């Protein structure tokens, strides 16, 4: 039979695929964190540039929301002078 609790638990184990690229939201968030960690601190990537680094699979505002959820500040706050 149908067990709602079990179904919800199983659904929580999987991320939904985004677009035609087949990349999961969790995978793209992890990639976002990797790209920001590896960027040049003197010239950090804007949200629009981060979209490009993720292959254009998501909108800029989605990248901005994920960045904020991951605790990553915007580019102007990540910039280190010197």
């Amino acid at each position: 039979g149908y067990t709602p609790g079990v179904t919800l638990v199983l659904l929580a184990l999987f991320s939904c695929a985004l677009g035609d690229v087949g990349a999961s939201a969790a995978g793209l968030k992890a990639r976002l964190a990797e790209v920001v960690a590896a960027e040049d601190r003197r010239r950090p990537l804007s949200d629009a540039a981060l979209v490009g680094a993720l292959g254009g699979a998501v909108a800029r505002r989605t990248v901005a929301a994920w960045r904020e959820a991951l605790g990553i500040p915007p580019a102007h706050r990540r910039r280190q002078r010197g």
Side-chain angles (χ1 to χ4, degrees):
Y2 174 70
T3 310
V6 173
T7 303
L8 291 177
V9 170
L10 289 174
L11 287 174
L13 296 174
F14 301 96
S15 293
C16 295
L18 294 174
D20 294 332
V21 296
S24 70
L28 288 171
K29 285 181 188 178
R31 178 70 181 131
L32 173 63
E34 291 172 3
V35 169
V36 171
E39 73 187 356
D40 180 357
R41 295 294 178 197
R42 291 170 292 165
R43 295 183 53 151
L45 299 171
S46 66
D47 290 340
L50 290 170
V51 168
L54 296 176
V58 294
R60 185 208 51 81
R61 65 181 180 215
T62 301
V63 168
W66 287 352
R67 179 183 45 71
E68 289 177 12
L70 293 170
I72 300 170
H76 71 277
R77 294 227 172 114
R78 296 192 315 267
R79 182 172 291 119
Q80 292 180 354
R81 309 232 187 256

